[in-house]
């Protein structure tokens, strides 16, 4: 119904047995599909992705050594955690509970990561921090707040915007 074989793409992206070229091709197809979605179509995509375990597979792919895929996977994850993309994004945040989310996101918030990937990681973090459980979880991890605060001095206005949004959301949801 989505016009793509979602489970095949997700399995390819997150499988250690797939070669890097296949993972990149699958990630490219997935992010192009997601970039074209809006409204009800986006919500249907996210629901189907959650139903087949997509959030866990996306996290697994971020933990793999395929840098060419990371930014695209962060775009998909960030969109699925965004209320603007998916009116049911809270379900994605619930589906991510129990996953090594910070371990997957943290490396992409460091200074040695390209700006585009860092921006996507900060945006995904901002969207995830709309959830009080994720905000509290991330606040308990050593280094989350300091990494986000370090990004407030970044040369990219978008990185600053998303990092400050993540910090704002963390404070707002944990103080509510």
């Amino acid at each position: 119904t989505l016009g793509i074989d979602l489970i095949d793409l997700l399995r390819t992206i997150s499988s250690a047995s797939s070669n890097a070229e296949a993972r990149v091709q699958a990630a490219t197809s997935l992010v192009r599909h997601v970039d074209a979605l809006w409204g009800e179509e986006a919500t249907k995509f996210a629901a189907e992705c959650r139903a087949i375990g997509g959030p866990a597979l996306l996290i697994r792919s971020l933990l793999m050594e395929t840098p060419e895929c990371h930014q695209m996977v962060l775009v998909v994850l960030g969109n699925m955690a965004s209320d603007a993309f998916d009116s049911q994004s809270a379900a994605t945040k619930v589906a991510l509970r129990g996953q090594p989310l910070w371990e997957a996101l943290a490396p992409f918030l460091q200074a040695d990561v390209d700006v585009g990937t860092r921006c996507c990681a900060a945006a995904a973090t901002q969207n995830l921090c709309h959830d009080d459980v994720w905000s509290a979880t991330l606040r308990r991890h050593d280094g989350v707040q300091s990494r986000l605060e370090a990004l407030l001095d970044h040369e990219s206005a978008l990185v600053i915007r998303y990092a400050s949004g993540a910090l704002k959301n963390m404070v707002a949801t944990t103080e509510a």
Side-chain angles (χ1 to χ4, degrees):
T1 61
L2 293 175
I4 59 170
D5 187 349
L6 183 57
I7 189 64
D8 185 54
L9 291 176
L10 290 168
R11 284 181 179 154
T12 301
I13 292 167
S14 63
S15 173
S17 64
S18 298
N19 66 45
E21 184 178 334
R23 286 196 296 271
V24 170
Q25 287 175 349
T28 301
S29 294
L30 184 60
V31 80
R32 283 183 181 158
H33 183 75
V34 167
D35 281 346
L37 297 177
W38 188 255
E40 189 176 314
E41 287 182 350
T43 299
K44 284 181 185 178
F45 165 84
E48 186 167 327
C49 190
R50 286 188 298 270
I52 60 174
L57 294 173
L58 292 169
I59 294 299
R60 183 187 311 163
S61 71
L62 290 174
L63 296 168
M64 297 176 70
E65 289 296 322
T66 313
E68 304 86 357
C69 291
H70 293 150
Q71 184 173 340
M72 293 182 278
V73 170
L74 287 164
V75 167
V76 174
L77 184 64
N79 275 317
M80 287 184 62
S82 168
D83 294 341
F85 179 81
D86 174 19
S87 62
Q88 303 299 312
S89 69
T92 295
K93 295 165 188 140
V94 169
L96 286 166
R97 292 183 186 156
Q99 296 297 318
L101 183 62
W102 177 241
E103 291 78 2
L105 286 175
F108 305 112
L109 295 172
Q110 298 183 83
D112 62 343
V113 175
D114 72 87
V115 173
T117 302
R118 199 168 329 137
C119 185
C120 292
T125 304
Q126 175 184 347
N127 292 339
L128 289 161
C129 285
H130 276 285
D131 180 80
D132 58 345
V133 172
W134 274 117
S135 285
T137 299
L138 292 177
R139 283 182 72 97
R140 284 192 302 269
H141 276 287
D142 285 338
V144 174
Q145 189 166 338
S146 62
R147 283 193 196 186
L148 290 169
E149 287 171 349
L151 293 177
L152 297 178
D153 292 327
H154 199 273
E155 67 272 7
S156 167
L158 277 178
V159 170
I160 294 169
R161 176 179 159 202
Y162 293 132
S164 66
L167 288 164
K168 178 183 166 209
N169 291 344
M170 286 172 78
V171 170
T173 56
T174 55
E175 290 180 355

